[in-house]
Every structure is written in C-alpha cells, then in structure tokens.
Amino acid sequence: MSSKVDAPRFPRAGSPYCALSGPPLAVPAGLRSFAAAAPAGGAKLTHPGKAILAGGIAGGIEICITFPTEYVKTQLQLDEKANPPRYKGILDCVRQTVQGHGVKGLYRGLSSLLYGSIPKAAVRFGMFEFLSNQMRDANGKLDSKRSLLCGLGAGVAEAVVVVCPMETIKVKFIHDQCSPNPKYKGFFHGVREIIRDQGIKGTYQGLTATVLKQGSNQAIRFFVMTSLRNWYRGDNPNKPMNPLVTGAFGAIAGAASVFGNTPLDVIKTRLQGLEAHKYKNTWDCAYKILKYEGPRAFYKGTVPRLGRVCLDVAIVFIIYDEVVKVLNKVWKTD
C-alpha cells in the first residue's frame, strides 16, 4: 500500500457544494446545468421554471387585451381577391362584424387562442431562458447574435408544441363565422369536429409555415430586445429597467418582427383556413398567392397585425419582467 497521502480536495469557487460541511448536497440532474451556468458577481440569471410560470401568466393577460386586432387581421388575410372582397378595410371589417354578430363577434375564437396563449408564452420564455443560460459569457451577458439563436430555438419549440394546433383551430373558428351556417358551437365542439373530419393532422395544417414564422418571429424579437437592453444597461448587466422602457423596447421588437415575417404569417393563415385544401404545401400556397393576387397580398393585414403585435410584445415583456421580480422574492433558486 502506498504511503503517499492525497492532497485534500476542496469544492471549487462558485460550486453549489462550496462552504458546506458533511456530505455533498444533492442537486437534481435537471438543474445542474443551470446551477453551473450561474456566474458569480455577473448578471442574474432567470431560472427556467420561473420563466415558464411568468411567461404563462403574461401570455394569458396579453391575449385578453389584444384579441380583437388578431380577429380583424385574420379576417382581412382570409378575404382573398379570388372572390369579391368582403371588406373594404379595417374599420369596415369591424363595422360588419359588430353589425352581424355584436361586439362579442370580435372575440370569436378567443377561447382557442386563450387556451393556447398561456402554454405558448410559457414554452417560449422557458426555452429562451434555458438556452440563453447556457450561452452567456463569464459575466452572465448574452450578446445579440446568441440571443438570435436562442430566440430561434424558442420560436421553433413553441411552434411545434403549441402554436400550430392552436392557430389552426383559431383560424378555422374565425373562418367558420363567414359561413351562412357556422358549424362550430364552441372550442371543444370545434376541436372534436376537426379531429373527427381530418384526424389529429387536421390541427397541424401549415406546420412548416408555422415553424418558419414562429422561429423568425422570436429570433427577431429577442435579438432586438436583447440589443436594446444591452445598450440601455451599458456596463451594468443588473441595471433595473423601468416598465415603460421595457414596453417601448418590446414595441420596437414587435414592429421589427411584423415587417420581417408578415408574408409567412399570410401563408400560414391560408394553410390553416377552411379552404386549405386548395394548396398542396407551403411553397404551392406562396406560388398561388403571388400568381393570382400579386406581391401585395403577402402583406395583407399588416396594419392590424402591427398594432396588435407591438402592443402584444410590449405587454408580454412588461408583465413577464414584473412577475419574475415577484417570483425572485418568493422563489429562491440560487
């Protein structure tokens, strides 16, 4: 037996086991990567669990405020030139809807979007924080390029898990209202009828377009938001942000995403409508829109979408940040 005595081993600085006596404290496997990523003395990281909860709360509140603009946007995008246009513009769409169905007509399809908005925002922010916590530098700072990749990952995740089935059902509900005899009586009845007629795949129409749309959406938004936040905070990554500043930055990020990917949103809406059978796939839909309606058709509904998205992103980021602040006080994850 060797007489050599091994030097005592001490926990490295910053380790979750540092300064603890006795046996090491067990850390759940799912949290190890997060705990290891937290920099000492750098920017404070948001635990993915907090991000999921805060994102869900923010998403639910936001959609209740902004849904009428989403309804008008969808109606204008479905108003194809192949048939005589039903609406002359945004105000005419609102007027006809209120005359025919009352003010509650502007909220047709809200239930399907509300049921999806909570998990959508939860998945988005949870995935973004999870990815960004792995990609920050030694000081906990996330640069713009990496935030773009994190946003892309968050957008793809929410598209596959939540957005595609949610959006398909929402568009079908809104489009169904244009029919002389609407057949969907409510959210669960509509979902049952869609699955009965088309199977589960009936709720996944336009998946490719949805992934492209949501991926580019969140990539643009988080890129712009992170760039503006880094500029505002300068050398102090933990500098507090006023909710009004957060809202203004969110509105700018939302506007950038609208101008960047409205064509994808139009294609996605067509592929999820009741007349989706006219298109073979995403590329066929884009080709037919360009051929029969012209390039301008790719930007149908831009104005109402711009208003909704700017308000949407501003509200979501404000509520998200404020909820995280509260969670940091009552939920200790350090």
Side-chain angles (χ1 to χ4, degrees):
M1 181 174 65
S2 173
S3 60
K4 182 179 179 180
V5 178
D6 293 335
R9 296 181 181 178
F10 297 96
R12 60 182 175 80
S15 167
Y17 312 117
C18 187
L20 293 177
S21 60
L25 178 65
V27 177
L31 302 182
R32 285 174 190 160
S33 61
F34 177 83
K44 295 180 180 179
L45 306 186
T46 299
H47 189 283
K50 294 179 182 178
I52 291 173
L53 181 57
I57 293 173
I61 295 174
E62 173 275 323
I63 198 60
C64 290
I65 297 173
T66 64
F67 184 79
T69 58
E70 173 69 14
Y71 174 89
V72 172
K73 179 216 72 171
T74 303
Q75 287 284 30
L76 292 177
Q77 289 180 345
L78 293 171
D79 191 27
E80 302 181 44
K81 283 186 177 180
N83 299 313
R86 182 178 180 183
Y87 305 114
K88 298 177 182 178
I90 299 171
L91 296 179
D92 184 55
C93 179
V94 173
R95 180 182 61 80
Q96 289 193 42
T97 300
V98 173
Q99 284 182 348
H101 306 278
V103 175
K104 67 178 183 180
L106 293 172
Y107 285 86
R108 183 66 183 270
L110 172 62
S111 58
S112 61
L113 205 59
L114 182 60
Y115 296 149
S117 289
I118 294 175
K120 177 179 74 171
V123 170
R124 175 195 311 161
F125 282 100
M127 180 59 71
F128 179 81
E129 295 295 353
F130 173 78
L131 294 175
S132 66
N133 287 343
Q134 317 304 316
M135 300 181 71
R136 295 177 185 271
D137 62 21
N139 295 318
K141 185 175 181 179
L142 181 69
D143 62 37
S144 300
K145 293 180 180 179
R146 291 184 178 183
S147 72
L148 186 145
L149 294 176
C150 294
L152 178 62
V156 171
E158 71 175 9
V160 175
V161 177
V162 181
V163 177
C164 189
M166 177 194 72
E167 288 281 304
T168 301
I169 294 169
K170 179 209 70 176
V171 172
K172 288 182 184 296
F173 273 20
I174 294 177
H175 208 173
D176 180 56
Q177 184 175 300
C178 300
S179 305
N181 300 306
K183 62 180 181 179
Y184 301 144
K185 300 176 182 179
F187 176 78
F188 294 105
H189 176 263
V191 172
R192 185 171 67 249
E193 290 299 310
I194 292 170
I195 294 178
R196 177 183 298 173
D197 294 341
Q198 304 171 32
I200 294 295
K201 69 178 182 180
T203 63
Y204 269 89
Q205 292 177 331
L207 177 60
T208 301
T210 303
V211 168
L212 291 173
K213 180 216 169 185
Q214 292 303 123
S216 60
N217 239 354
Q218 302 313 325
I220 294 171
R221 290 177 189 175
F222 280 108
F223 171 80
V224 173
M225 195 69 186
T226 301
S227 298
L228 292 173
R229 278 176 166 168
N230 287 343
W231 166 77
Y232 179 80
R233 286 170 168 160
D235 296 330
N236 181 7
N238 293 316
K239 179 180 178 180
M241 288 188 64
N242 185 289
L244 293 178
V245 175
T246 299
F249 288 173
I252 294 172
S257 69
V258 168
F259 289 114
N261 78 350
T262 289
L264 289 172
D265 189 47
V266 172
I267 294 171
K268 175 194 69 67
T269 300
R270 295 289 180 87
L271 289 172
Q272 292 171 336
L274 296 179
E275 297 182 358
H277 61 275
K278 299 194 313 186
Y279 310 112
K280 298 177 182 178
N281 50 46
T282 301
W283 308 114
D284 181 61
C285 179
Y287 171 75
K288 287 181 177 177
I289 292 174
L290 181 62
K291 180 178 179 179
Y292 297 113
E293 302 175 52
R296 292 181 62 182
F298 286 111
Y299 281 89
K300 276 189 173 183
T302 297
V303 175
R305 186 183 181 222
L306 184 64
R308 189 193 76 82
V309 169
C310 289
L311 187 61
D312 168 351
V313 180
I315 291 174
V316 166
F317 273 112
I318 290 174
I319 297 176
Y320 174 78
D321 281 2
E322 295 306 305
V323 172
V324 167
K325 290 177 184 177
V326 174
L327 291 177
N328 284 337
K329 296 178 181 179
V330 300
W331 181 1
K332 303 299 182 181
T333 55
D334 296 336

